Amino acid sequence: MRKLVYYVGVSIDGYIAGPGGEFDFYPVPDDMVAWMADDYPETFFVHSRTRLGLDTPNRHFGTVLMGRGAYQPGLDAGVASPYPHLEQYVVSTTIPEIADPEVNLVPGDPLSLVRALKKEDGLDIWLCGGGKLAGTLLPEIDELVVKSYPVVAGAGVSAFTGAFSPTLFTRTTSRSFSNGSTVTWYGRA
């Protein structure tokens, strides 16, 4: 059975993006980029994969789930299929249609979708963002891979948005990088 994994970057104060969807304020050191390219190459946007010369097989994920906020930066850059090397789903009630046939629009219940995807064979499912979608899918999240950056955003998109629902996870391992950024893995308790 496949797992739903929330692989996400956060500021010290728990934001995954700024108030306008900004995510370019994270201080990502070169050693962290090298680690991500080696261990999680499929999480790079199509243009970054090309720029970095990443032509490696997917290691962890075969499917990506995005909310509108996670999908919009690609659209703004003229890219309707930001992760063509993955099966792509965009969960949104505000996008009327998606022009690229490689991207599946999910206007309804993402919990049912995730439960069906988990039953399929293949690599795990990457929850790319955003916070509202993560809050909705919290009952189905099996693992968290949290990239924590040494910056305070002050405001923005929270890692989880939704009802008060304390959910325990257990830290399984962590890794540090040259500027104090860390990655911590958590499994559902």
Side-chain angles (χ1 to χ4, degrees), residues 68 71-72 74-75 78-82 88 90 95-106:
R68 175 156 192 169
Y71 183 61
Q72 193 65 48
L75 284 181
V79 179
S81 180
Q88 302 170 87
V90 176
I95 298 175
E97 65 180 66
I98 293 179
D100 195 300
E102 291 184 11
V103 181
N104 303 289
L105 178 62
V106 181

Side-chain angles (χ1 to χ4, degrees), residues 1-158:
M1 188 158 174
R2 301 199 298 169
K3 295 184 296 187
L4 178 61
V5 180
Y6 192 19
Y7 173 88
V8 65
V10 298
S11 62
I12 292 171
D13 50 347
Y15 294 107
I16 61 174
E22 308 89 351
F23 55 89
D24 58 351
F25 61 90
Y26 292 121
V28 184
D30 290 342
D31 58 333
M32 190 174 195
V33 172
W35 167 80
M36 290 187 305
D38 187 48
D39 281 16
Y40 288 87
E42 66 270 34
T43 63
F44 282 86
F45 188 78
V46 65
H47 290 300
S48 296
R49 286 177 62 92
T50 302
R51 189 181 77 247
L52 293 170
L54 292 176
D55 189 22
T56 57
N58 299 343
R59 299 201 44 185
H60 296 277
F61 307 118
T63 302
V64 61
L65 293 175
M66 300 168 271
R68 175 156 192 169
Y71 183 61
Q72 193 65 48
L75 284 181
D76 293 345
V79 179
S81 180
Y83 302 101
H85 49 283
L86 296 169
E87 183 180 19
Q88 302 170 87
Y89 292 90
V90 176
V91 178
S92 176
T93 58
T94 60
I95 298 175
E97 65 180 66
I98 293 179
D100 195 300
E102 291 184 11
V103 181
N104 303 289
L105 178 62
V106 181
D109 179 20
L111 282 167
S112 295
L113 170 67
V114 167
R115 289 176 183 135
L117 290 172
K118 284 175 134 184
K119 292 177 182 175
E120 296 176 359
D121 290 331
L123 295 173
D124 288 334
I125 305 156
W126 170 30
L127 173 53
C128 177
K132 183 178 175 184
L133 182 57
T136 300
L137 294 175
L138 182 56
E140 290 295 326
I141 295 175
D142 301 294
E143 183 178 354
L144 303 169
V145 180
V146 181
K147 298 174 289 174
S148 299
Y149 298 99
V151 61
V152 172
V157 179
S158 294

